[in-house]
Amino acid sequence: MKKKNYFWGIYDEFFYCITWPKWINLQITTLIVSFFSIFLSIFLYGVDGLFIFFIKKLFSL
């Protein structure tokens, strides 16, 4: 009997107590996260290339 009440409580909380974001807000947030993920990967790629360049110069002396 306790398991049934437990799962019923989960169901009630999931459908009636949680406020879900609107579809447009979810799309905007997804676009922002995607943009910054791509920007950060390009930035880190550049920084890595810069470090490789300096390390090659340092050890080629």
Side-chain angles (χ1 to χ4, degrees), residues 20-32:
W20 298 100
K22 301 290 183 217
W23 179 245
I24 189 71
N25 292 343
L26 197 59
Q27 288 177 328
I28 291 171
T29 306
T30 302
L31 285 175
I32 291 170

Side-chain angles (χ1 to χ4, degrees), residues 2-36:
K2 284 187 176 185
K3 285 184 184 179
K4 184 178 180 182
N5 288 340
Y6 176 74
F7 289 115
W8 193 254
I10 291 174
Y11 175 82
D12 281 341
E13 179 133 5
F14 190 73
F15 284 104
Y16 299 114
C17 297
I18 296 175
T19 55
W20 298 100
K22 301 290 183 217
W23 179 245
I24 189 71
N25 292 343
L26 197 59
Q27 288 177 328
I28 291 171
T29 306
T30 302
L31 285 175
I32 291 170
V33 168
S34 300
F35 172 75
F36 279 106

